[in-house]
Amino acid sequence: SYEGGSVKVTNSSVPKNISLISSDGSVFSSFTPTDSEVVISTAGIPAGVYIVKVVTSDGKKLTKKIIKK
């Protein structure tokens, strides 16, 4: 979910990878989480449209569009 200054990712298991990608394809953040619930701060990125991409432990790719104002 997206709440103002952060994105919260909750999964049933620890994801393999989470990325925050801008509409032009630039990767602002990409990391391997250590917990099934992760909060990503969007405080340091400019306003715009972003995609949160999650690769689950079984290899499925999930995406969610967020708009930072």
Side-chain angles (χ1 to χ4, degrees):
S1 64
Y2 180 63
E3 298 171 10
S6 64
V7 177
K8 183 177 180 182
V9 177
T10 305
N11 200 24
S12 58
S13 62
V14 178
K16 285 184 182 178
N17 184 269
I18 297 176
S19 300
L20 181 62
I21 305 164
S22 70
S23 59
D24 70 0
S26 300
V27 177
F28 277 91
S29 177
S30 183
F31 60 94
T32 302
T34 57
D35 197 350
S36 60
E37 186 172 296
V38 178
V39 176
I40 306 165
S41 173
T42 58
I45 64 173
V49 177
Y50 295 88
I51 301 293
V52 177
K53 182 170 122 181
V54 178
V55 179
T56 64
S57 58
D58 59 359
K60 292 181 183 173
K61 294 178 184 172
L62 310 169
T63 58
K64 178 72 176 176
K65 180 174 79 171
I66 61 168
I67 300 172
K68 182 176 182 211
K69 296 182 178 184

